[in-house]
Amino acid sequence: MEENQNYGQQPYGDQQNNQQPYGDQQYNQQAYGNQQYNQQAYGNQQYNQMPYAQPVKPVVYDVLPTGHSGYAVASLICGVLSIVFFWLPFIDLGISIAGLVCAIVTLSKGYDGKGMAIGGLVTSIIGLLLSLYMTFCVVVLGMAVWSVM
């Protein structure tokens, strides 16, 4: 057998029919680096932009509005505590009365927090009623137990 059989193929480097090598084909194109796109240089472009303005300083209110009252918050807290601690009759009476007083002061003086004051008034009244009921039960049961002894 013959060592170098080409089986009808041309050797790799041979050229046929006067064709140019692959990289040298000309299609009426310029070389990659020589193309012109009719663009201006980067620094010469003009944009119709407005000049930058100074940032606007936000408005900050350093003072709280006048008439803000902590009495409304105190009445609401006392009212909720009077409902929670209704089972302690004598302590709960003081908490309920404190909540009532704070709510009445807030509503009568016209302070801010009218909704919280109304909520404190309602919860303080409920807590006071529960506390009075528990106080009555403790007194009646105490008298009943005392009379049996």
Side-chain angles (χ1 to χ4, degrees):
M1 283 185 127
E2 200 173 302
E3 285 292 322
N4 289 330
Q5 291 181 1
N6 291 333
Y7 299 106
Q9 296 178 354
Q10 295 293 326
Y12 181 75
D14 290 345
Q15 298 293 323
Q16 296 181 9
N17 301 330
N18 292 328
Q19 292 181 349
Q20 295 178 351
Y22 180 71
D24 292 336
Q25 293 178 356
Q26 297 294 323
Y27 293 106
N28 295 327
Q29 293 180 350
Q30 296 177 355
Y32 179 72
N34 296 331
Q35 294 176 352
Q36 297 295 322
Y37 293 108
N38 296 327
Q39 292 182 345
Q40 297 177 355
Y42 178 72
N44 295 333
Q45 294 177 354
Q46 295 295 321
Y47 298 107
N48 296 325
Q49 292 180 343
M50 299 290 289
Y52 290 109
Q54 293 295 324
V56 178
K57 183 178 177 183
V59 177
V60 178
Y61 297 105
D62 295 331
V63 180
L64 289 174
T66 59
H68 185 72
S69 174
Y71 287 113
V73 177
S75 70
L76 187 62
I77 290 172
C78 288
V80 170
L81 288 177
S82 68
I83 292 175
V84 171
F85 293 119
F86 75 93
W87 51 273
L88 297 171
F90 299 107
I91 296 171
D92 190 52
L93 283 173
I95 295 173
S96 298
I97 291 171
L100 283 171
V101 168
C102 289
I104 291 169
V105 166
T106 301
L107 293 172
S108 66
K109 297 234 177 176
Y111 291 139
D112 287 344
K114 184 178 178 182
M116 282 191 291
I118 293 172
L121 184 67
V122 169
T123 54
S124 294
I125 290 172
I126 293 171
L128 183 63
L129 292 176
L130 288 172
S131 178
L132 289 174
Y133 177 73
M134 284 302 291
T135 303
F136 176 74
C137 289
V138 166
V139 169
V140 168
L141 287 175
M143 292 171 86
V145 170
W146 187 261
S147 67
V148 172
M149 291 184 165

